[in-house]
Amino acid sequence: MLGYYLQLGFRNLRRSPVLTALIILTLAVGVAASMSTLTVLYMMSGDPIPQKSSRLLTLKLDNYPLDFNDTDEKLPGILTWTDVRNLREDAKGLRRTGLYGISGIVYPNKEGVKNFFADGVAVDADFFAMMDAPFIAGGAWTAAEDRSEARVAVIAAPLAEKLFGKESAIGRNLRMDSEEFRVVGVLHDWKPTPKFYRMDGNSSAGSDADDIFIPLSTALAAHRDVSGNTSCYSNADPGFEGLMRSECIWLRYWVELGSEAERAEYRDYLSAYVQRQKQLGRLPRPDKSALYNVREWLQEIEVVDDDTRLQTWLAFGFLSVCLVNTIGLLLAKFTARTAEIGVRRALGATRSQIFLQYLSEAAALGLVGSIIGVAGAFGMLHLLAKQSPNLEQYARMDPTMLATTVLLSVLAAVIAGLLPTLRATQVVPALQLKSQ
Amino acid sequence: MEIRPILSALRHNLTGALLIATQVALTLAIISNSASVIRERLAVSQRDSGVDAESRILTQRPILFSQIDLANLIQTDLDALRAIPGVESVTVTNQVPMGRSGWSSTFATERVPTAPNQSAGLYFDGGRLLETFGLKLVEGRGFRDDEIVNIDPKVQNPPPTGVLLTRRLAEALFPGQSQFVGRVFYQGNTPDSEELRVIGVIERFTTPWAQTGPGNEYAVVFPARYLNPFNHYVVRAAPGAEAQVRKAMEEALEKNEPGRVSNGQYSIQEMRDRRYRGERALAWLLVSVTVFLLGVTASGIVGMASLWVNLRRKQIGVRRALGATRGDIVRYFLTENLIITSAGIAVGVLAAWGLNGVLMSELSVPRLPLDYLLSGVLLMLLLGVVAVLGPALRAAKLSPALATRSV
Amino acid sequence: MLQMDGVQKIYRTDLVQTYALRSLSLRVAEGEFVAVTGPSGSGKTTFLNIAGLLETFEAGTYRLDGEDVSKLSDHARSRLRNVKIGFIFQSFNLIPDLNVYDNVDVPLRYRGMAGSERKRRITEALERVGLASRHQHLPSQLSGGQQQRVAIARALAGSPRILLADEPTGNLDSLMAREVMNMLEEINAQGTTIVMVTHDPELARRVHRNIHVMDGQVSDLDQRLAA
C-alpha cells in the first residue's frame, strides 16, 4: 500500500508544478545551507583520534615571572625547553614527545623541480606510534637515533612523490637548508582534522599538513629556527643556545598514558614536578599547571570559532524559515485538492489511509528536495573551502553527514507535511465540491 | 479600508496567516541581525591601514639561504631593487601590514610589573619605511639613514633607543596627552626593560594581524635591519608601473642569489584581500542567505495568497457583483497581507532584539542598530506588498459573472 | 427602467463560437415585477449577467435607468452595480467568513457610506427580513431560507432601483420558497423594479409579466414590444 502511496506521491509532483517546484527548491536550499555549515562544525568539533583521545594528554605550565602582570588571559599551551627536557627524562606514561614547528628550503635532486619551502615538525620517535600515524613505507626512527641526533626524516607521501617520483624514498637523501636527512619512513596521506597536535588557537597554524618530520634532538642540535610562536617574558641570551636556556616558551609536549585511569597518577607527578622546579628557583608563581586530553584541548583552544557557530545558528534559522514555508506551501497544495480528498473519502478511504497517502506525497517531495539539497551542500562546501583556506580541511562531506543530510531533508519534509496532512484528513466525504 | 471584516475573515484562515506571520518574524529577525554583521565585517575589512596606495606597494620575501654576510646581501638586494625603472622607493622590514604573521612586544611607561602595558606590532625600518609605505607623520621626524643599525640575532647588540610609534599607541600609553616626541617608555614592564624615546608619531600604521580590536593600530618602529633570512623587501611602484616592477623585482632578486625560494610576491592590497578573506566570506554568505530568505518568504506569501484567491473565487465574484471595483479587490488582498505582515513584524522586532541579545553574549556579534531594524521592517512591508500584488491583480481580473455560476 | 435592443453575446473558444444571445431586445418599466423564463441553455443567465452589468456584450444597446451603459468602463459599471442594482442568487452567495451583519455591510462599504448611515440601513434591512436578532451568526449557522433572507437584506440595504434575482427559490423547499416570494412581492409593492430569472412556472404566474427566452432571443413578439 505504501508503494501505491509513494507512486501516487511522485505522480502528484507534476500537479501544480509551480507550487511543487517552490516546495522542492525551498527544502533543497534549506537543507544545503544547514548541512554544509553543520558539516564544517561537525568536522571541526570532531575527534581526530577517537581510539585514544582520552589517553593522549598535553599540558600547560605557568612559568611567568613572579611579578608578571597577567590579565585574565589563558596560559599559552607552549613550554620551555627546560621543562620539555625534564618531562622527557622523567619518562612518565607509555609514550611521550616534545614538538616544535620547523621550516626550511628543500633542494630536490630532480630535473625540473625548483627549490621550495617546506613546513615540518621536530618530534621524538614515539610521536608516530602515539598519533597512530600510518606508514606506507619504512617506519619511525629509533630511540637510539633520537639520542644520537641522527639526520633522519619521515616525510609525507605527497612530498615523497614530488621528490622521488614512483621510486621508493626509503634510504634516499633529503636536503633541507644545508643539512642532508636520510628518509626512514613515508607517511600515508595523514591529515588529522583538526591538526590537534600543533594547533594553539591561532588557526593559521593548523591548516596545512606537515610534510617533514625530523628528530627533535637533531633539530635542536642544528639550532633549527622555530616556526611558530615563541614568547619570552624575561630576557634571553642571544642565539639558539640562549633560547634553549631561557624561560622563553616555544615547544609543545604530548604524553600517551597506558589507560585513562593513570591520569590521576600523572596529575600527581606533574604537581610534584612543579614543586621540585620551585625548589630549584623556577616557576615562581602559584601552580596553575593543567592537563588536557585531545577533546579537552580542542575545547580549550576554541577550534570552533565564533564565526562558525554564527554560521551554524544562521543556517538553522534559515532551515526553520524554509520549513515554515514548506508547511505553508504544502497546505496550499493539499487544500487545492479538497475536492479530490472528499471524493476519495466518499469512495471508502479511511482517515488513516488519507493520512498515509498525503504524508507519502510529502516524503516524496522531501526525497527530491534532499537529492537537490545534497548537491547544493556539496556546492556550498566547495565554495566555503575556496573562500577560506583555513576551512578547507573541514569542508568535506563524510558518509555520516551524507546520510544525515538525506535523512534530515526527508524528515523535514515529513514534519512539514504533518499539519497539512492532518488538515487533509479532516475533509468530509463528498462526491462533489460544495459551493461556498 | 475595512479592517474588522478582514480580521474576521482571517480568523477562518488562521493557520495560513500564522505560518506567513511566523515566516515574516523569523526572516526579519535573521536579516536585520545579518545586515548588522555584514556591515561590521565589511567595515573591518575596509579599515585604513595607513598605507597610502596599497596596490602599488609590492612586497616579496625571498628566503636568503647563503647565510654569509647577510648585511651585505640585503644591501645588494636593496640597491638592485632601487635601480628598477618605475620604483619610487625601497625598504627592507621584518613584517608587513596585514601580512598575518610577524613580531609583537609589550610596551609600558614604567619599569614595574604592575604597570599597565600595551601589546604592539614591532616593525624594523631598514631605511625609507615611511616613504615606501606612504605613511604620514603627525609629529616629530622619521629616521635618518645614518640612524639605521644592523641587529644580528647571534650576538647581543645594543638596540636603538629612538623609535617611532603610531598615534593610537601613543594615546594608549600616555592617556590625555597630545604631544609625544621626547617622551620615554619601555619595551616591557620589568626592571631590565629597554628604555625607548619617541622621535616621531605616525598617524596610522596597522599591524600584520590587523586585529579586530583597537590593537590593530598599535605599532612601534625601530631603525634597524634584522639580520635573519626572512625579511620582506618592499618597493613602491610608480602609478601604472606595477606590472613591470613586479617582473623586474622577481628577476633582480633571483639574479642576486640564484635558486632562492620566494614566498610569493604580493601587493599590500593583496595582503589585505588575504587577511580579510574570512570577513568577506562571512559577509557574502550572509548576503546570500538574506537574499535567499527574502526569496523564500516572498514565495511563501505568493503561494498562500494564490491559495486564498483560488479558495475565494466565488466570493470575489460576489463582491464584484455587489459593486466592488477592481481596485477594491486589490486593496482587500493588500490590506489583508499588511495585517499579517505587520503582526509578523511586531513579533519579528522582538525576536530580532532577542536574537541579537543571545548573539551578543554568545558570539560577540555587534549590537543591532535601530536603523537596521527599521530598514528591515520597511523591507518586510515592501516584500509583503510586492509578493501579494501578483495574486491580488489576478483576483481583480476574475469576472463578476462568477457570482451567478452554480459551482 | 431597463431597455435592451439587439443585444448580442458570443462565447468564443479557440475552435467554436457560440451565440449565447442572438439579438435580444426587451424593456422593463419602472415598478414592474417581471419573470424571465426559458429552458436550460436558452440564455437566461447570460441575460441576467448582462442586465446586472456582470458581463459585457458584443452588439446592441442597453439602457439602464435612462443611461446608456453599453460602453462603460469596468470601474463605472462597478459603481452602477453598487448603487442601482441589487442581486439575489440561487445559492445565496453569502460570504462564509463574515457574519450576517458584515455580509449586509459589504455593498455599503464599497459605496463608502458613513458608519452611522450604514448601521441604520443594515439594522433596517435585517428587521425587514426578520433577522435582526441573528446579526452575529455566520451563514453556516443559518437555514437556507434564512440565508436567502440575509441575501435579500443585503440587496435591499443599498436601496437599489432594480433587483435582479437568479432562481431565488431554486435551493429552497416550497414553504421557504413561498416565504421568499412573498417578501419579493412586498418589496416590489414598495416600488422596486424586480427582474427574476426562473424556470418555475408557479413563480412565473405570480408576477406581472413573463418574458420567454429561447435560443438567445425573446420568443414572443408581443412581449418584446410590450411596455
Side-chain angles (χ1 to χ4, degrees):
Chain A
M1 201 61 191
L2 202 64
Y4 168 65
Y5 292 143
L6 273 176
Q7 190 193 336
L8 271 180
F10 276 109
R11 196 180 321 148
N12 278 329
L13 292 184
R14 259 172 283 157
R15 291 173 56 164
S16 42
V18 178
L19 215 50
T20 306
L22 273 182
I23 294 172
I24 291 176
L25 204 68
T26 304
L27 271 174
V29 168
V31 165
S34 52
M35 289 324 288
S36 51
T37 50
L38 196 65
T39 302
V40 171
L41 186 77
Y42 166 82
M43 294 302 277
M44 274 189 175
S45 46
D47 190 338
I49 181 160
Q51 64 277 23
K52 53 161 72 163
S53 60
S54 60
R55 292 192 289 122
L56 277 182
L57 305 181
T58 188
L59 53 94
K60 285 181 175 182
L61 293 173
D62 181 353
N63 77 326
Y64 289 131
L66 186 59
D67 46 14
F68 184 72
N69 177 28
D70 68 331
T71 40
D72 295 327
E73 277 177 36
K74 286 177 175 173
L75 284 175
I78 42 183
L79 309 170
T80 59
W81 167 239
T82 312
D83 287 317
V84 169
R85 188 190 57 213
N86 293 338
L87 292 166
R88 281 160 96 226
E89 281 169 2
D90 287 350
K92 296 287 176 196
L94 190 63
R95 299 187 180 98
R96 67 213 65 78
T97 181
L99 181 158
Y100 79 93
I102 56 163
S103 58
I105 298 166
V106 174
Y107 296 84
N109 237 334
K110 201 175 168 194
E111 287 289 307
V113 185
K114 280 170 104 180
N115 300 349
F116 60 92
F117 197 71
D119 279 312
V121 250
V123 296
D124 289 317
D126 278 352
F127 174 84
F128 305 97
M130 287 174 74
M131 305 298 166
D132 287 346
F135 282 92
I136 43 172
W141 57 81
T142 63
E145 282 169 319
D146 262 342
R147 282 190 295 276
S148 64
E149 296 162 7
R151 300 234 170 138
V152 289
V154 166
I155 61 176
L159 181 65
E161 174 153 4
K162 188 170 176 181
L163 290 177
F164 310 113
K166 298 266 172 268
E167 297 165 42
S168 168
I170 305 298
R172 304 281 296 266
N173 271 5
L174 163 80
R175 183 173 163 211
M176 182 160 59
D177 298 330
S178 49
E179 290 178 286
E180 298 273 352
F181 293 87
R182 182 170 49 87
V183 176
V184 295
V186 178
L187 285 182
H188 191 62
D189 186 21
W190 182 55
K191 239 185 169 182
T193 308
K195 203 168 78 181
F196 65 98
Y197 61 88
R198 270 189 83 178
M199 279 181 91
D200 58 359
N202 173 8
S203 53
S204 65
S207 49
D208 294 324
D210 290 308
D211 284 330
I212 301 174
F213 301 79
I214 61 169
L216 178 59
S217 53
T218 314
L220 294 171
H223 295 179
R224 206 157 251 297
D225 277 328
V226 183
S227 166
N229 281 348
T230 305
S231 300
C232 304
Y233 296 92
S234 45
N235 281 353
D237 295 332
F240 200 84
E241 296 278 0
L243 178 67
M244 285 174 70
R245 279 196 304 271
S246 72
E247 283 294 326
C248 296
I249 50 178
W250 47 288
L251 293 116
R252 256 159 239 293
Y253 187 74
W254 286 91
V255 59
E256 179 185 347
L257 302 179
S259 76
E260 218 180 319
E262 289 168 29
R263 182 165 171 168
E265 197 184 314
Y266 196 85
R267 174 65 264 187
D268 292 342
Y269 153 72
L270 192 61
S271 303
Y273 170 76
V274 172
Q275 288 313 314
R276 278 207 310 280
Q277 291 299 309
K278 280 178 180 295
Q279 282 159 19
L280 293 173
R282 289 189 65 238
L283 313 184
R285 309 211 317 159
D287 181 7
K288 281 211 289 187
S289 60
L291 275 177
Y292 302 89
N293 67 29
V294 174
R295 288 188 151 276
E296 290 161 352
W297 179 242
L298 294 177
Q299 198 111 49
E300 174 71 10
I301 61 177
E302 292 170 20
V303 175
V304 181
D305 60 350
D306 279 0
D307 278 1
T308 309
R309 253 176 288 163
L310 179 64
Q311 284 171 25
T312 313
W313 279 61
L314 195 78
F316 278 88
F318 188 59
L319 180 66
S320 62
V321 174
C322 290
L323 271 187
V324 174
N325 199 47
T326 308
I327 298 177
L329 294 174
L330 276 176
L331 199 63
K333 195 169 159 70
F334 289 175
T335 310
R337 302 227 305 266
T338 306
E340 180 200 313
I341 301 168
V343 172
R344 278 182 190 278
R345 292 277 279 131
L347 294 178
T350 64
R351 286 223 160 130
S352 50
Q353 282 170 328
I354 294 286
F355 182 81
L356 266 182
Q357 186 202 326
Y358 281 80
L359 211 56
S360 307
E361 187 165 336
L365 282 167
L367 214 59
V368 179
S370 84
I371 293 165
I372 302 175
V374 167
F378 272 109
M380 287 275 290
L381 285 175
H382 182 71
L383 273 180
L384 280 174
K386 243 175 71 177
Q387 289 283 9
S388 164
N390 289 338
L391 275 182
E392 199 180 345
Q393 54 175 330
Y394 304 117
R396 282 183 288 135
M397 180 79 81
D398 75 348
T400 322
M401 284 315 280
L402 194 65
T404 314
T405 306
V406 175
L407 210 67
L408 183 98
S409 55
V410 176
L411 201 69
V414 169
I415 289 173
L418 272 182
L419 179 83
T421 307
L422 281 175
R423 292 275 293 247
T425 60
Q426 300 306 311
V427 173
V428 286
L431 278 169
Q432 64 174 46
L433 180 59
K434 271 175 99 183
S435 65
Q436 302 187 37
Chain B
M1 193 65 197
E2 30 178 353
I3 301 285
R4 198 181 47 81
I6 293 183
L7 278 179
S8 66
L10 264 181
R11 258 213 315 276
H12 299 99
N13 294 297
L14 202 57
T15 321
L18 279 180
L19 286 173
I20 296 294
T22 310
Q23 224 176 313
V24 167
L26 285 172
T27 305
L28 176 60
I30 295 175
I31 65 163
S32 50
N33 277 291
S34 295
S36 118
V37 174
I38 292 168
R39 180 186 68 166
E40 184 221 23
R41 295 308 161 102
L42 290 184
V44 162
S45 75
Q46 283 157 7
R47 288 177 310 185
D48 188 356
S49 64
V51 178
D52 66 344
E54 291 181 352
S55 60
R56 286 198 283 126
I57 316 297
L58 305 171
T59 131
Q60 191 167 346
R61 192 187 191 191
I63 316 296
L64 315 179
F65 58 87
S66 57
Q67 301 190 4
I68 327 140
D69 198 3
L70 276 175
N72 199 15
L73 183 52
I74 288 172
Q75 189 57 51
T76 316
D77 282 341
L78 286 176
D79 291 342
L81 292 175
R82 197 171 292 122
I84 295 171
V87 167
E88 295 179 341
S89 176
V90 173
T91 191
V92 60
T93 180
N94 59 326
Q95 59 191 24
V96 294
M98 300 174 285
R100 292 179 301 159
S101 70
W103 299 38
S104 73
S105 188
T106 56
F107 297 90
T109 49
E110 284 175 88
R111 273 193 280 208
V112 288
T114 47
N117 57 78
Q118 304 291 346
S119 174
L122 193 161
Y123 281 92
F124 289 122
D125 176 356
R128 312 276 162 145
L129 179 106
L130 297 186
E131 198 183 320
T132 308
F133 280 117
L135 305 175
K136 281 190 209 61
L137 272 179
V138 287
E139 203 193 333
R141 60 173 181 87
F143 301 123
R144 293 187 311 267
D145 285 350
D146 63 343
E147 283 173 307
I148 311 293
V149 300
N150 286 331
I151 296 180
D152 185 345
K154 293 193 174 63
V155 290
Q156 191 102 42
N157 292 74
T161 56
V163 298
L164 309 177
L165 43 59
T166 56
R167 179 162 60 187
R168 282 282 147 71
L169 178 61
E171 286 166 354
L173 285 172
F174 308 102
Q177 306 295 322
S178 57
Q179 295 259 311
F180 306 104
V181 168
R183 288 186 190 276
V184 166
F185 65 110
Y186 305 96
Q187 185 176 359
N189 55 353
T190 51
D192 54 355
S193 294
E194 303 292 346
E195 180 179 307
L196 304 170
R197 199 172 33 80
V198 180
I199 66 168
V201 179
I202 301 170
E203 185 190 34
R204 179 175 283 124
F205 194 27
T206 203
T207 63
W209 311 276
Q211 308 91 309
T212 342
N216 81 89
E217 285 190 30
Y218 292 178
V220 176
V221 183
F222 286 78
R225 292 179 187 171
Y226 192 79
L227 301 183
N228 77 359
F230 302 106
N231 279 296
H232 293 259
Y233 291 117
V234 184
V235 308
R236 182 185 186 83
E242 296 92 332
Q244 147 206 349
V245 169
R246 271 176 190 256
K247 200 158 164 284
M249 188 175 180
E250 197 95 51
E251 286 164 3
L253 292 173
E254 167 73 18
K255 197 171 146 216
N256 277 358
E257 196 189 26
R260 263 183 202 189
V261 175
S262 167
N263 271 0
Q265 190 186 53
Y266 303 98
S267 67
I268 299 298
Q269 177 68 51
E270 286 158 352
M271 288 290 191
R272 172 183 290 274
D273 293 343
R274 288 156 65 98
R275 160 63 187 85
Y276 293 115
R277 187 141 58 167
E279 275 81 0
R280 288 180 185 160
L282 185 68
W284 287 114
L285 183 78
L286 292 180
V287 168
S288 41
V289 163
T290 302
V291 170
F292 267 123
L293 264 187
L294 292 177
V296 164
T297 303
S299 86
I301 295 175
V302 171
M304 196 57 74
S306 304
L307 171 72
W308 284 341
V309 169
N310 280 336
L311 289 181
R312 294 182 194 158
R313 285 165 63 86
K314 181 87 173 182
Q315 183 187 133
I316 293 163
V318 173
R319 283 177 184 275
R320 292 278 281 134
L322 296 178
T325 61
R326 287 187 173 154
D328 287 329
I329 300 296
V330 172
R331 260 196 300 283
Y332 182 92
F333 282 98
L334 285 184
T335 312
E336 182 178 69
N337 178 263
L338 270 180
I339 292 171
I340 300 171
T341 320
S342 305
I345 286 172
V347 179
V349 166
L350 296 179
W353 265 325
L355 179 65
N356 186 238
V358 175
L359 291 179
M360 273 199 305
S361 63
E362 296 277 317
L363 303 174
S364 61
V365 157
R367 177 175 295 282
L368 180 58
L370 200 62
D371 51 333
Y372 274 61
L373 195 55
L374 280 179
S375 318
V377 167
L378 287 179
L379 190 64
M380 293 316 292
L381 283 174
L382 193 69
L383 182 84
V385 170
V386 170
V388 87
L389 210 55
L393 287 175
R394 235 177 305 133
K397 288 211 188 83
L398 290 174
S399 162
L402 277 171
T404 55
R405 275 182 215 150
S406 54
V407 174
Chain C
M1 186 69 219
L2 182 157
Q3 182 181 347
M4 287 186 187
D5 286 302
V7 168
Q8 193 179 67
K9 175 74 186 174
I10 305 170
Y11 288 112
R12 287 193 179 83
T13 65
D14 291 342
L15 294 174
V16 289
Q17 53 178 30
T18 328
Y19 282 91
L21 295 179
R22 267 174 208 288
S23 174
L24 187 85
S25 301
L26 60 80
R27 266 147 232 233
V28 177
E30 180 150 13
E32 258 194 308
F33 192 157
V34 178
V36 177
T37 56
S40 275
S42 59
K44 294 193 307 275
T45 303
T46 306
F47 156 72
L48 195 79
N49 283 346
I50 289 172
L53 304 178
L54 301 178
E55 277 183 34
T56 53
F57 48 92
E58 274 72 36
T61 57
Y62 171 25
R63 300 179 77 82
L64 177 68
D65 200 15
E67 184 185 354
D68 184 354
V69 296
S70 320
K71 300 276 182 290
L72 288 180
S73 72
D74 185 85
H75 189 266
R77 283 141 47 88
S78 297
R79 303 313 312 155
L80 267 187
R81 281 200 296 274
N82 185 251
V83 175
K84 290 198 173 161
I85 305 173
F87 280 101
I88 298 166
F89 304 98
Q90 177 176 6
S91 48
F92 325 137
N93 282 352
L94 297 180
I95 294 173
D97 304 330
L98 301 180
N99 64 25
V100 165
Y101 184 96
D102 287 336
N103 260 292
V104 180
D105 195 20
V106 168
L108 305 184
R109 289 274 186 172
Y110 291 128
R111 205 183 283 194
M113 216 175 253
S116 54
E117 170 74 1
R118 291 202 324 265
K119 190 169 180 197
R120 191 183 60 76
R121 281 173 177 252
I122 296 166
T123 319
E124 200 182 285
L126 284 175
E127 269 165 8
R128 219 164 140 191
V129 298
L131 285 171
S133 59
R134 299 280 178 111
H135 71 271
Q136 291 280 27
H137 287 63
L138 286 175
S140 55
Q141 296 164 320
L142 300 177
S143 72
Q146 287 170 327
Q147 287 190 41
Q148 192 59 300
R149 275 150 63 193
V150 174
I152 293 171
R154 181 172 69 184
L156 289 180
S159 329
R161 300 290 313 274
I162 183 166
L163 206 58
L164 300 178
D166 180 15
E167 306 272 11
T169 59
N171 282 357
L172 301 176
D173 63 35
S174 57
L175 187 72
M176 285 185 178
R178 212 168 302 140
E179 198 181 312
V180 164
M181 200 54 204
N182 288 342
M183 207 168 270
L184 289 180
E185 279 172 345
E186 199 180 303
I187 291 161
N188 176 250
Q190 285 164 4
T192 309
T193 313
I194 300 181
V195 176
M196 176 173 72
V197 168
T198 184
H199 63 268
D200 182 349
E202 169 107 19
L203 286 188
R205 268 199 295 280
R206 291 178 60 168
V207 303
H208 302 164
R209 189 157 65 93
N210 269 302
I211 300 175
H212 196 67
V213 185
M214 278 280 263
D215 288 336
Q217 288 177 327
V218 175
S219 64
D220 182 328
L221 189 67
D222 288 347
Q223 283 173 352
R224 199 188 308 161
L225 297 176

